[in-house]
Every structure is written in structure tokens, then in C-alpha cells.
Amino acid sequence: MLAGRMQVGIVTLFPEMFTAVTSFGITGRACRDGIVEVACWSPRDYAKDRHGTVDDKPFSGGAGMLMKTGPLCDAIAAAKAWNDKTPSVIYLSPQGRRLDHTGVTLLAQRRNLVLVCGRYQGIDERVLKTEIDEEWSIGDYVLSGGELAAMVMLDAIIRYQPGALGHEDSAGLDSFADSNTGLSLLDCPRYTRPREFAGLTVPEVLIGGNHELVRRWQLKQRLGQTWLKRPDLLAQQSLDQHEQVLLNEFISEYGTLPT
Ligand code: ADE
């Protein structure tokens, strides 16, 4: 069990963007309930000149600017000082460790974080060396800044804070995290009313009300969906005999894969 609320300080030139996480839905409620405390620091507030300059020319010349070191470091220092305990300082960039389910559960254990969002061409290498503890990426593509990546990370982490979701173990039943089987699987198909939609019906087993059969069907579908859509994910894990039987059932019912 995790002790106490989580504190996340964000260093960003665009603090307003974070209201998307702090004001809406599950993550908004977690912030309002004090499960997680999020606060932003803008390098702009630490700019020394009357223009509020927060960018600077790279020594290499050429196109593009870097974040100006002074205001950036002052904002990082303020975000660190705000945390009750020494935070891990994380820089979001495509050069970082790729965020996945394992990474999310790891970061969700931390009580104190500072997320540094780069803009322009990024930050000075010496700031990276001296101020940043860890570098994380949300995928092999380039965003216009670290904010959306930090928001993705924040949303995923907040889901794992105790009390953030209505039902205490709902996060344990998300795709990738099955606390019952210990497997990392995709989600199963889900259905709501009406019973017939676009000429397609809801699988009978879901209507029958036999919870044991529903659980069996759901696990079989999760195994099958992962086999169909993410064979790489399935190849990394070992199934027990029951799971193998269910997957074999799914495969034989599905027929051969179209090439
Ligand atoms: N900043 C720009 N692109 C990014 C990415 N893919 N992940 C994290 N931060 C980024």
C-alpha cells in the first residue's frame, strides 16, 4: 500500500495545458480529492529581462533555439523545493526510456516527482547532466514539446494511486495489468445495450448471468485478442495449462489467420 499523497511539480512554459489533466474526469477528481497534488512552474516567471526571454541560441548556430538555462534551472529549483521530500526529476524527451506498463507502475510508487517539459530544440546538455535524474519518452515520434508526454505519464500514474478509481482494484484489471493472472494482456470486447446493434448480437454467455462462465469467456477473449493484435506481447509470457487451453479454443474457433 502506498503511503500519503503524491506530489508532482511540473516545469512548463504552458501551465494552462495541464488543466486537461487536473480538471477533468478521473484525474481531475484525484486532484480535487488531494490524492495527487499537481503544481506548475513556468521558466517565464524566472526570466530576468523585461521581454521575459526563455529561449536562447545554440552554440552550433543554425535554425532553432534552446530553452534558456537560467530561467529553466530556477523553475526546476522552485519545483524541487515545493516538494515535501526530494523528488525524482524527470525530463520528457524522445531520447528517454520508453514508457510502458512496467514503467508506469514503477513511477506510480514514487511520492515526489518533478516533470520537466522541453520546448524548442530542447535543453542544454549540462542542465540534463546536472538537474535531471531520469529521461523518459512516450514513444518513437517527436512531439512539439514535453507537455503532452508529461500529461500522458501523469494520467497513467494517477490511475494507480489508491482511491483514484471508483473500485479499488479496477486499475489492476486494465489492459496490460491483470492482477488475477499476472499476465500482461489486451482487454476483452465489451458490450452495452441494445442486445442487437447493426445486425450484431451480444455473445450469449454475457447475458446468461453465470459469473464463472463470463470470467472464463473474458480471459479467453483477452488471450485471443492479444494473440491476434499483439503477438509480440504474448510471446514474452508463459501461459499455464488453463490459459493455453483457452487460447487454443479461441484459435480453433477463429480459424486460420488471413494473410
Ligand atoms: N518530447 C517530444 N517528443 C517526445 C516524446 N516522444 N516523448 C516524450 N517527450 C517528448
Side-chain angles (χ1 to χ4, degrees):
M1 199 45 157
L2 294 171
R5 79 191 186 308
M6 182 178 212
Q7 290 181 297
V8 185
I10 315 274
V11 174
T12 172
L13 287 170
F14 301 108
E16 297 88 351
M17 287 178 75
F18 285 84
T19 58
V21 174
T22 58
S23 300
F24 300 95
I26 286 169
T27 52
R29 189 183 58 199
C31 292
R32 284 193 295 278
D33 291 351
I35 290 168
V36 58
E37 203 180 338
V38 177
C40 294
W41 279 266
S42 174
R44 180 104 37 211
D45 296 331
Y46 298 90
K48 296 283 186 284
D49 62 346
R50 61 191 176 87
H51 302 294
T53 305
V54 288
D55 61 353
D56 213 343
K57 291 194 290 276
F59 273 112
S60 57
M65 298 291 273
L66 293 171
M67 291 187 80
K68 193 170 175 59
T69 53
L72 174 62
C73 291
D74 288 349
I76 294 174
K80 286 173 81 169
W82 166 80
N83 269 274
D84 291 340
K85 296 209 175 104
T86 307
S88 309
V89 182
I90 291 175
Y91 179 55
L92 285 306
S93 99
Q95 282 71 245
R97 168 176 168 179
R98 184 103 68 86
L99 187 67
D100 61 6
H101 173 68
T102 305
V104 168
T105 52
L106 184 90
L107 294 170
Q109 308 292 321
R110 313 262 178 91
R111 295 300 80 197
N112 294 87
L113 294 176
V114 169
L115 306 183
V116 179
C117 306
R119 280 276 153 175
Y120 318 120
Q121 304 292 307
I123 67 179
D124 186 288
E125 186 63 19
R126 293 154 304 171
V127 175
L128 197 63
K129 282 232 164 70
T130 58
E131 301 291 334
I132 305 295
D133 300 317
E134 300 168 33
E135 206 172 355
W136 288 79
S137 164
I138 64 159
D140 292 339
Y141 41 83
V142 179
L143 301 168
S144 312
E147 284 79 6
L148 285 172
M151 286 156 71
V152 166
M153 178 180 270
L154 196 53
D155 182 298
I157 287 172
I158 291 174
R159 297 179 62 75
Y160 284 90
Q161 301 308 307
L165 302 180
H167 193 297
E168 187 61 44
D169 61 17
S170 325
L173 297 175
D174 277 349
S175 294
F176 304 111
D178 191 325
S179 50
N180 295 326
T181 63
L183 292 172
S184 193
L185 300 173
L186 301 187
D187 203 0
C188 59
R190 299 185 182 275
Y191 299 86
T192 183
R193 290 182 295 181
R195 268 165 90 144
E196 192 181 323
F197 177 81
L200 301 169
T201 53
V202 177
E204 275 304 317
V205 61
L206 300 182
I207 295 157
N210 184 327
H211 299 305
E212 191 47 46
L213 285 182
V214 169
R215 264 198 298 280
R216 185 183 192 280
W217 180 88
Q218 287 180 329
L219 179 55
K220 178 167 138 183
Q221 293 300 319
R222 299 188 65 196
L223 289 158
Q225 294 302 322
T226 312
W227 171 76
L228 272 176
K229 298 174 182 168
R230 289 292 305 278
D232 58 309
L233 205 59
L234 203 57
Q236 293 163 17
Q237 7 201 358
S238 52
L239 306 183
D240 68 18
Q241 207 184 345
H242 174 60
E243 291 153 359
Q244 194 60 59
V245 166
L246 290 177
L247 178 58
N248 291 346
E249 252 182 58
F250 182 97
I251 293 171
S252 61
E253 286 163 16
Y254 185 79
T256 50
L257 254 183
T259 48

